[in-house]
Structure formats: C-alpha cells, structure tokens
Amino acid sequence: MQYVLQAFQTALEPYNILVMILATGAGLLMGMLPGLSATMAIALLTGLTYNFPTQTALIALIGVYVGAISGGCQSAILINIPGTPASAATALDGHPIAKRGEGGLGIFLATTASMCGTLISVIFVLSFTPVLTKFALKFASWEFFLIAIFGILICGQLTSNGNAVKGWISGILGLIVSMVGLDVVDTFPRFSYGNVNLMGGIQLIPVMIGLFGFPEIVKAFKRGNNSDAAPMSSFNMKKGWALVKEHWWPIIRSGIIGVCVGIIPGVGEDVGGWLSYWTSKNTSKDPDSFGKGNELGVISAETGNNSCIGGAIIPVLSLAVPGSAPAAVLLAAFYMHGYRPGPLLMSETPDFIYRVGIYLALAAIVMWALALVISRVSVRILSLDKRILMPIIYVLCVIGSYLINYNLFDVKVMFVFGLVGIALSNFEFPASPFLLGVILGSMADQNLRRGLRLSKGSLLPMLQRPICIVFLVVNILMILSQTGIFKPLMAKLRKTK
Amino acid sequence: MTKKLKDFVFSIVLILLGIYVIVESLNIYHKAAEKPYKITQFTISPGFLPFLLGIALTLTALILLASSFRGEKIGEALGNRKTEFVAWTKTAFNADFLNMTIGCVLMFIYTFFLVQLLPFWLASIIFLVAMFLFLRIGKPWKAVVLAVLVVALIVLLFKYGFGAAMPE
C-alpha cells in the first residue's frame, strides 16, 4: 500500500502530470498515423528521455506505450487503415460504423474499451508479477537459457503467418547479431574485426528504430500513398456508455485473453486484438453481423489489444523477457534508467512493480480523455502529407539513435538495420523474432556458458532439472509440430470426435 | 517476385551466412584457446553458441530452400526460378522502386556523411530540403522554409528542452 501511495504521489506531481499528458498525446498521434508503430514511438522516446529523472522517464515511456496502442483505432475507424498492427481487427467493424455516420460513437467505444483493457491488465500486473517473480527465483542458468530459446521459438511460430521456419530464421539472425562484441563471460571480442565500436556490441535501440521505423519511411516514398478520412460525428456518449455496460462480460473476457497473449514472449498486441475479436464473433448469437459495423467487434478488439500492454509487461518485470516488441523496447529503457527487471526485482526495487502498475492505470485514464479531445482533429491529422512527415521522422530516428550513447556509430547501425528491416519485410520474414533474438541473445549466451562452466562442459545437468525438462519438451514439441509429425494423430483425434 | 523465388534467393543468402558464422565461430574457438584466454574446451569457449547458431541457421535455411522446390524436380525448379527471376527484373524497376532507391540514397548520404561531417542543424536542413524537393512537396522556397522551421523546432526541443547534446 505504501508503494502504491508513493507511486500516486510521484505521478501527481505537476511536472509529471504534464509529461504524462504530453507523452500520451504524442503516443496517440504516433499510433494514429499509419506507419508509425508503438515500438517506434517508444524507441524514439527512449533516446529522448535519457536525461530525464528516472520516474519522469518511466511515466513518459508508459504514457507513450498506452497512447500509441490506443491511437491506432482512430485511423482504423476513420480511414480503414490501422495506425498500428494492434488495431487491425478494429478496422473490420470500426470503419463500417464510421461509414454509416457514427464515427464519433466508434471512436468513443474503441477508446473506452482501450481504457478498460489497460485497467484490467493493471490488475494482473499487480497481482501476477510478484507471484511469477517468486517462482522465477527457482530458475538457474539452464532455465534462463531454455526460456530464451522458448521465447524465440514461440514468437517465431506465432508471428510468421503460418511458416514458422521463417520466424525462427529471423530469431536466429537476431541471436547472431547479439553475439557481436565482447562476450559477457570472458570479454573475448566476437565478430568485431578490430573495430572498437563493434566491440561495444550492437545497441538495441538503433536496431529497433531501423527494423521498425526505416521500412515505413521508405514505403512512404511510393507515389499516391495518402488516404481520405471518413467524416467525424458526435460521440453519442449516452449510447456509448449503454453499449459498454451491455457488453461488460466480453470486455472482461477480452481483457483476460489479451493479458494471456501478452504474457507469451514476443507475441504482440495485434494477436491479442484478433484473438479477442475472433472469440467474441464465435460466441455471438449473430456472428454474421461482425465485419458489418457490430459495436462488439470494436469493443473486443480494442480491449484485447490494450490488455496486452499489461500482459506483455508481466514477463518483462518478472523474467526480463519481453511479451511484445514495444515491451522489448520498454525493457531496454528500464535497463537504461537503472532498473534490473527479473527474479531479483522484488528484493532489489520492490516499489517498481507498483509504480509501473499505477503509471499504467493513470496513463489509461489520461489516454481516454486525450483521445476523445484529439479525435475532434483526427481527420485533419490523418490528412497530413506523408511526403512531409516521413523525412522529419527520419531526422528524429537519427537523433533517437544518437542519444542512446551520444555516438554517431549508432546512427549508422540504425541505417544498416533499416536495410535489414526492408529485406525482412520484402522477403516476408517477421521482424519481431529478430528483435527478440537481439534482446535475448546475451541472456542465452551468458546463462548457457555459465551452466556449462559449472558442469565442466557437460549438457547433462540440463536434463536433471524438472523445469528444464518441461521447457525442453515444449521446445522440441514446437519444432516437431512444424514437421507435420502430429498431423496423422490430429486426424485420428478428429475422427474419434 | 514470386513467393518461391523469394524463398529461394533468401535461403541461398542465409546458407552462405550460416556457413560464414560456423567458420568464424571455429576461428573464435581457436583464438580463445591461445593466450591470454586459454579456453581449450569447445563447449565453454566463446565460439560455442555462435557455432550452434550457425548450424541452426544453415539447417533452417536448407529447409526453406527445400520448401521453395516443393512439388518440382530440382532441375525443373531451377529453370522455373530462372524464368521467374527474368520476369521479375522486367517489372521490378518501376517508378516506385526508383523513388524508394533515391530516398534511401539521400538518407544514406545524410547518415554516413552529412551528420558525421557537419553540425547537426546544417546537415538536417540540407537533408530535409533535398528530400522535400525530391518528393515535390511544392516550390523550393517552401521546402527551405519548412526545413529551417522543422530543424529549429527539433534543436530547440532537444537541446534546450531536454538538455541533450546534438551531434557537432
């Protein structure tokens, strides 16, 4: 309780309130504009918050995260183009609602559902994280190595559009990139070629800005890339609140689904939105109305994607394993500001979890109010010329990369990984496992080699620990599932049913 | 580019990369076995995980390569990929491709030369004016005024607002 009060006290300082409003507003704008993702928004802001006091930086980062995930719904509803992938499911019913002249109601429902989703996830963050952190204290080197591999495998499988091999390749490439520089155990320079900058390792933020921001900037150079927005109408709050009240159960259900999806390493808010939408459609008495402007579609998708925020933060805090790409950036930002998420978090900085929870809840409320205000000018914002916007965004990408270490080498790294991002996108490889590989590579290497050192080079102890065996079996099953080995078994099961 | 051609081309690149990583990780192992590190056991050498990753990359790339041949004999598949490649080269280099390439070149010049050699504000104004002119946002004076205003705002915000040192 003491920590919760402290968190409120910090968040309600005038300077921090101002920062939260500005950051959440910036996040909303970034999320609203197609091509500027939540990951990019946090990545950019991470560099910019370098000189901020720690708590102010945390408030800014969480505000921009909540804002960016929620902002995507406005473009999804008004122009049928999701501002972020997280709002893709929202467009299905949101845009038909706007087309029938109820754009204001659609945005009100989406924004309110987003707030509810985030608030539901806060409950899980505050209740689950301490439990998971305690459980994670049982983890030793082998478990951490296997959880890193599990993260890459599951992220690769779920983000690769049906071809898990591509997702895994992307993850392996990320792991290889993380090997560059002095190794953490013996300080031996790997893949550095005598270059001092490379010996310091590849920094996460420039890689992320490059992977996620650069391709979107380059795509904007195509001709005829702007879209027309549907007209905005009044919010019709009375009807909106009545609908939210009527659909209280799908909101809670979508919130829980989103949290569960968020907890899975590397699987992002877009999956949370889709899965919640799909569940509501399948349990509805009138599934045919979905895709034609059913309000429940918007509510489910937005609750689902926003509750992923808290879900994705749970493994960040307890295991230092990010639940989604934006959460990965948040993890890097936590490190940058002196926090060490992981099993020791509760003993080293017990107030941190409560601070994150409270900042998330306040950001959700600020987002709700701001989103409704901003939606009055959304149509104008969405008509911004990308030919003007994108070069400016690139200048911001350059500053964002530079400010991490005040090193111009990182700016070059950002450009190189921008080209890698374009290649991955063009050859239909997901970028999220790549990023997760870069993040988890050091953890995997450090723990594998520490384990091997203690066992004098033997892999046998891995097979003697129960948690390791569970992870090993799950990892092997995941790989085998791609070989089609379970197809006859599944066919038999279906026949018996 | 067809999906099969994409998988074929990328898997070849990945196989080469995988082999390079394997060779380099063995080099790391040999170098780490010398003074001052003297790590002679392979499994605890700094080259061990890169070696495993190189193997994993090569294997998964081979699976991808095999999937790009699915339903075809090898000779027939190679012929098909060649035909697809020739067809792709005829349509790939369109106006959009040219625009994106020029945009990338301008960003490359800004990143690798202008920002490295000139003060940030000057480099950014030159870059933005060049980009705005290339993207035809309007008359040249409009591009210059917009670029100057944007850079002034960015410098004010970061240098004086956030207290961050800009590249000099």
Side-chain angles (χ1 to χ4, degrees):
Chain A
M1 196 62 199
Q2 174 203 350
Y3 297 135
V4 173
L5 286 174
Q6 275 176 2
F8 269 115
Q9 210 175 356
T10 312
L12 296 177
E13 280 171 20
Y15 180 64
N16 288 339
I17 293 176
L18 182 71
V19 167
M20 181 169 277
I21 293 173
L22 288 176
T24 313
L28 278 166
L29 291 178
M30 295 277 270
M32 194 186 297
L33 293 166
L36 305 181
S37 63
T39 315
M40 189 179 174
I42 308 171
L44 266 177
L45 199 74
T46 305
L48 312 186
T49 58
Y50 190 72
N51 288 334
F52 280 22
T54 312
Q55 294 308 316
T56 310
L58 274 183
I59 289 170
L61 290 163
I62 288 172
V64 85
Y65 188 3
V66 173
I69 295 295
S70 314
C73 71
Q74 303 217 4
S75 52
I77 292 169
L78 293 175
I79 60 172
N80 201 23
I81 299 175
T84 58
S87 294
T90 313
L92 287 183
D93 283 289
H95 192 59
I97 290 175
K99 277 204 325 201
R100 70 177 183 230
E102 289 187 301
L105 175 69
I107 287 178
F108 176 79
L109 287 175
T111 307
T112 310
S114 297
M115 180 182 68
C116 294
T118 310
L119 292 177
I120 290 170
S121 73
V122 169
I123 298 169
F124 283 87
V125 170
L126 294 179
S127 53
F128 264 35
T129 316
V131 180
L132 201 60
T133 311
K134 266 187 192 167
F135 177 66
L137 281 172
K138 290 180 183 163
F139 285 20
S141 299
W142 297 110
E143 282 84 357
F144 276 109
F145 168 69
L146 287 171
I147 203 171
I149 302 302
F150 169 75
I152 301 290
L153 287 175
I154 196 157
C155 178
Q157 185 145 359
L158 292 172
T159 57
S160 60
N161 254 339
N163 191 351
V165 174
K166 284 191 167 182
W168 295 342
I169 287 175
S170 181
I172 294 168
L173 288 172
L175 285 170
I176 291 172
V177 168
S178 74
M179 297 292 115
V180 175
L182 295 177
D183 89 275
V184 275
V185 180
D186 299 301
T187 62
F188 186 91
R190 297 184 294 198
F191 304 100
S192 304
Y193 316 102
N195 184 314
V196 181
N197 287 310
L198 284 177
M199 278 184 199
I202 301 285
Q203 297 296 315
L204 174 67
I205 303 293
V207 173
M208 192 156 36
I209 295 177
L211 279 178
F212 290 91
F214 195 95
E216 299 303 331
I217 294 169
V218 174
K219 273 181 208 163
F221 298 152
K222 288 181 182 174
R223 298 278 180 228
N225 222 3
N226 279 334
S227 327
D228 292 326
M232 182 66 182
S233 68
S234 74
F235 293 129
N236 201 348
M237 281 202 189
K238 203 177 164 188
K239 188 180 173 187
W241 282 121
L243 281 165
V244 169
K245 210 173 154 188
E246 185 189 335
H247 296 303
W248 65 272
W249 169 238
I251 288 178
I252 293 175
R253 184 184 56 210
S254 303
I256 295 169
I257 291 173
V259 169
C260 295
V261 170
I263 290 174
I264 301 170
V267 183
E269 290 77 8
D270 46 342
V271 180
W274 279 114
L275 208 59
S276 305
Y277 180 86
W278 179 84
T279 312
S280 289
K281 187 180 174 183
N282 280 292
T283 51
S284 166
K285 285 175 188 162
D286 184 18
D288 291 338
S289 65
F290 280 75
K292 294 170 189 162
N294 187 326
E295 291 90 355
L296 182 56
V298 173
I299 291 173
S300 307
E302 281 303 312
T303 312
N305 66 29
N306 273 265
S307 56
C308 267
I309 297 175
I313 286 177
I314 293 172
V316 166
L317 296 176
S318 51
L319 300 167
V321 173
S324 67
V329 197
L330 206 60
L331 175 63
F334 288 164
Y335 281 129
M336 199 178 88
H337 287 286
Y339 284 103
R340 282 204 315 150
L344 295 175
L345 186 73
M346 282 305 278
S347 51
E348 285 177 351
T349 42
D351 60 320
F352 187 60
I353 290 172
Y354 299 97
R355 284 187 185 277
V356 170
I358 298 304
Y359 298 162
L360 263 177
L362 291 175
I365 296 164
V366 169
M367 177 280 297
W368 182 80
L370 269 181
L372 294 182
V373 174
I374 289 177
S375 66
R376 290 273 143 226
V377 288
S378 291
V379 176
R380 278 192 193 171
I381 294 168
L382 291 170
S383 308
L384 268 179
D385 192 342
K386 275 193 178 179
R387 293 174 306 164
I388 295 175
L389 194 65
M390 287 309 186
I392 298 171
I393 296 286
Y394 187 69
V395 174
L396 292 174
C397 288
V398 166
I399 302 176
S401 307
Y402 169 76
L403 289 180
I404 303 298
N405 280 334
Y406 289 104
N407 186 352
L408 282 169
F409 177 75
D410 289 337
V411 178
K412 294 179 187 174
V413 170
M414 182 271 295
F415 184 90
V416 170
F417 281 93
L419 296 180
V420 171
I422 290 178
L424 288 176
S425 161
N426 282 340
F427 286 90
E428 296 167 28
F429 283 76
S432 298
F434 189 104
L435 184 67
L436 199 63
V438 178
I439 293 164
L440 297 179
S442 162
M443 175 175 137
D445 185 38
Q446 196 177 341
N447 284 293
L448 174 69
R449 292 189 45 224
R450 195 181 288 153
L452 284 168
R453 282 239 160 144
L454 290 172
S455 67
K456 292 178 181 164
S458 166
L459 287 163
L460 207 63
M462 203 193 290
L463 306 172
Q464 292 165 341
R465 302 176 64 89
I467 303 173
C468 280
I469 293 172
V470 172
F471 276 121
L472 267 174
V473 170
V474 172
N475 288 350
I476 291 168
L477 285 177
M478 225 180 319
I479 295 169
L480 288 179
S481 70
Q482 293 305 308
T483 61
I485 207 165
F486 300 123
K487 273 184 187 167
L489 193 73
M490 293 302 283
K492 263 190 184 176
L493 273 174
R494 264 186 221 126
K495 267 187 183 176
T496 350
K497 270 188 182 176
Chain B
M1 202 185 267
T2 63
K3 196 174 171 302
K4 281 194 168 184
L5 182 60
K6 279 181 186 177
D7 289 353
F8 176 75
V9 172
F10 212 70
S11 57
I12 299 283
V13 175
L14 290 170
I15 289 167
L16 294 175
L17 183 66
I19 292 169
Y20 168 74
V21 172
I22 293 170
V23 173
E24 186 60 26
S25 59
L26 290 173
N27 278 337
I28 292 171
Y29 163 60
H30 288 301
K31 280 180 195 164
E34 293 167 10
K35 276 183 183 175
Y37 299 98
K38 282 193 169 178
I39 307 163
T40 48
Q41 196 174 351
F42 184 53
T43 48
I44 58 167
S45 136
F48 183 58
L49 189 59
F51 178 78
L52 294 182
L53 293 173
I55 300 243
L57 183 63
T58 312
L59 284 177
T60 44
L62 279 169
I63 294 171
L64 189 66
L65 181 68
S67 75
S68 74
F69 286 163
R70 195 167 288 163
E72 298 165 306
K73 286 177 184 165
I74 291 183
E76 181 194 352
L78 288 173
N80 289 343
R81 297 300 88 78
K82 195 181 165 187
T83 319
E84 286 164 9
F85 183 75
V86 173
W88 172 75
T89 51
K90 283 177 187 164
T91 55
F93 305 105
N94 52 21
D96 279 342
F97 178 84
L98 193 69
N99 281 334
M100 290 197 286
T101 309
I102 295 173
C104 281
V105 170
L106 289 175
M107 292 199 289
F108 173 80
I109 294 170
Y110 173 56
T111 311
F112 282 79
F113 298 104
L114 294 179
V115 168
Q116 312 283 333
L117 300 171
L118 300 173
F120 172 77
W121 63 270
L122 184 59
S124 300
I125 289 177
I126 296 171
F127 167 70
L128 285 178
V129 170
M131 276 305 238
F132 290 152
L133 290 177
F134 157 63
L135 294 168
R136 293 179 208 153
I137 64 148
K139 290 179 179 163
W141 68 265
K142 193 181 163 188
V144 174
V145 170
L146 196 59
V148 171
L149 279 177
V150 166
V151 173
L153 256 175
I154 290 174
V155 172
L156 269 176
L157 183 70
F158 285 90
K159 196 168 180 179
Y160 301 105
F162 299 146
M166 307 304 272
E168 293 295 338

